[in-house]
């Protein structure tokens, strides 16, 4: 009788915890429209496939345990499927969306936390159709490290002068004409019309930088002059803390780092380059206030 009573108590506790977990979860809805858009970079203009007309594509921002529905409308001229990196439970992950059709992916989040990303499955489309998938702690959870002042996503990408099509089934490393930070080529490619990514920070504030390597088949090295980082997560999971002056990110990987704006008022270069050292791109970290 005692063991049965204990079993009933344990079952009641488990049911209570299960109800508590799901009551804190939410259902989120996103609409993606795949369409061709004109972009000018490296002093030339071309059409690329985009999600919602932007490069990089829109960010998904949800909480741990949420259910996410993403309705993808293919308004392009080629069949496309989507990949949700690092997420185990995706309904329709192999579905091929024909031109003029749409498909809704159901994504059930479980233990994933931190930063992941989504992209088109094929190499040619993935170069321009991608975005961050940010998973915040559940409403009743806290970070296992001091809470940052704010968080910022930074997607590293590739830019090709040629038009990419289905004929580009594979893209070898080193084929890009430029690399980008949040879609900006920076100042290093000799085109005065190119834009540069700016990250504005406040003195002594701590930022969680969500780094995504979307560069096609390239290991990227990221750094900010005179600043260091605390690595706190990788690929949708927390990690043991480590410290680094630069961050090496493998192709298709994500890294979460803490970055303290603790230098003097001014502008500091942010750099991203392939590990091979060929070409590079830069951004600017701009202090907006000081501690004085």
């Amino acid at each position: 009788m005692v063991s049965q009573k204990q079993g009933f108590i344990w079952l009641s506790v488990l049911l209570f915890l299960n109800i508590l977990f799901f009551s804190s979860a939410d259902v989120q809805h996103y609409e993606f429209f795949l369409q061709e858009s004109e972009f000018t970079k490296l002093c030339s203009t071309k059409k690329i496939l985009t999600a919602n007309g932007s490069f990089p594509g829109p960010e998904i921002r949800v909480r741990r345990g949420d259910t996410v529905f993403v309705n993808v409308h293919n308004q392009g001229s080629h069949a496309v499927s989507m990949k949700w990196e690092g997420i185990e439970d995706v309904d329709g992950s192999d579905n091929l969306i024909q031109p003029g059709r749409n498909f809704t992916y159901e994504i059930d989040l479980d233990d994933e936390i931190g930063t992941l990303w989504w992209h088109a499955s094929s190499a040619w489309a993935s170069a321009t159709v991608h975005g961050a998938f940010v998973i915040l702690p559940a409403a009743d959870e806290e970070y296992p490290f001091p809470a940052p002042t704010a968080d910022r996503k930074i997607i590293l990408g590739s830019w090709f002068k040629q038009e990419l099509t289905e004929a580009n089934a594979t893209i070898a490393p080193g084929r890009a004409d430029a690399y980008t930070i949040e879609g900006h080529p920076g100042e290093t490619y000799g085109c005065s019309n190119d834009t540069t990514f700016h990250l504005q920070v406040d003195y002594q504030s701590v930022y969680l930088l969500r780094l995504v390597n979307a560069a096609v088949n390239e290991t990227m090295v990221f750094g900010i002059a005179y600043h260091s980082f605390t690595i706190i997560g990788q690929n949708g999971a927390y990690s043991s803390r480590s410290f680094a002056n630069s961050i090496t990110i493998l192709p298709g990987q994500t890294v979460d780092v803490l970055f303290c704006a603790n230098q003097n008022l001014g502008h500091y270069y942010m750099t991203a380059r392939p590990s091979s050292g060929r070409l590079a791109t830069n951004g600017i970290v701009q202090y907006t206030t000081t501690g004085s």
Side-chain angles (χ1 to χ4, degrees), residues 152-192:
R152 300 285 188 269
K153 71 170 177 70
I154 297 179
I155 298 180
L156 310 180
S158 307
W159 185 259
F160 299 84
K161 288 183 178 179
Q162 71 178 91
E163 183 178 350
L164 299 179
T165 66
E166 289 179 322
N168 304 103
T170 60
I171 300 175
R175 294 289 303 278
D177 295 295
Y179 298 96
T180 60
I181 300 176
E182 280 295 297
H184 301 273
E187 305 170 347
T188 60
Y189 296 106
C191 177
S192 60

Side-chain angles (χ1 to χ4, degrees), residues 1-250:
M1 180 66 68
V2 174
S3 61
Q4 288 181 340
K5 184 176 181 180
Q6 288 176 333
F8 176 77
I9 293 173
W10 276 110
L11 180 60
S12 300
V13 170
L14 289 173
L15 287 173
F16 172 77
L17 292 175
N18 194 51
I19 292 171
L20 185 64
F21 173 79
F22 283 106
S23 66
S24 65
D26 204 351
V27 177
Q28 308 284 351
H29 295 268
Y30 287 84
E31 298 282 339
F32 285 2
F33 294 87
L34 305 186
Q35 54 197 208
E36 289 189 350
S37 305
E38 279 195 352
F39 278 78
T40 300
K41 300 183 188 300
L42 307 186
C43 289
S44 64
T45 300
K46 72 168 188 173
K47 285 187 176 182
I48 61 173
L49 187 66
T50 65
N52 295 5
S54 64
F55 169 71
E59 173 188 295
I60 292 176
R61 179 168 288 250
V62 294
R63 292 189 178 275
R64 194 210 293 257
D66 282 357
T67 296
V68 187
F69 292 93
V70 184
N71 189 11
V72 179
H73 306 258
N74 186 1
Q75 298 176 346
S77 55
H78 301 278
V80 178
S81 63
M82 306 295 288
K83 190 167 185 179
W84 312 90
E85 291 287 352
I87 300 175
E88 295 184 1
D89 194 352
V90 180
D91 182 17
S93 58
D94 297 325
N95 191 75
L96 192 63
I97 309 172
Q98 299 295 330
R101 305 297 296 272
N102 71 293
F103 181 80
T104 300
Y105 294 88
E106 180 179 349
I107 303 168
D108 294 310
L109 298 173
D110 187 11
D111 293 329
E112 297 91 350
I113 190 73
T115 308
L116 292 167
W117 70 302
W118 59 266
H119 61 90
S121 296
S122 57
W124 70 271
S126 177
T128 55
V129 178
H130 56 251
F133 198 119
V134 176
I135 307 170
L136 302 171
D140 56 350
E141 291 181 332
E142 296 182 353
Y143 288 113
F145 46 81
T149 306
D151 69 277
R152 300 285 188 269
K153 71 170 177 70
I154 297 179
I155 298 180
L156 310 180
S158 307
W159 185 259
F160 299 84
K161 288 183 178 179
Q162 71 178 91
E163 183 178 350
L164 299 179
T165 66
E166 289 179 322
N168 304 103
T170 60
I171 300 175
R175 294 289 303 278
D177 295 295
Y179 298 96
T180 60
I181 300 176
E182 280 295 297
H184 301 273
E187 305 170 347
T188 60
Y189 296 106
C191 177
S192 60
N193 293 329
D194 280 339
T195 55
T196 301
F197 173 68
H198 283 72
L199 175 66
Q200 293 189 336
V201 298
D202 293 332
Y203 179 73
Q204 292 291 29
S205 292
V206 176
Y207 296 88
L208 196 169
L209 301 185
R210 303 180 180 277
L211 307 176
V212 178
N213 182 7
V216 180
N217 291 329
E218 294 281 8
T219 295
M220 299 294 289
V221 181
F222 174 87
I224 299 175
Y226 303 105
H227 293 79
S228 59
F229 308 101
T230 302
I231 301 171
I232 49 88
Q234 296 185 61
N235 303 319
Y238 292 131
S239 64
S240 57
R241 294 186 214 178
S242 58
F243 305 94
N245 293 320
S246 63
I247 306 296
T248 299
I249 317 173
L250 297 176

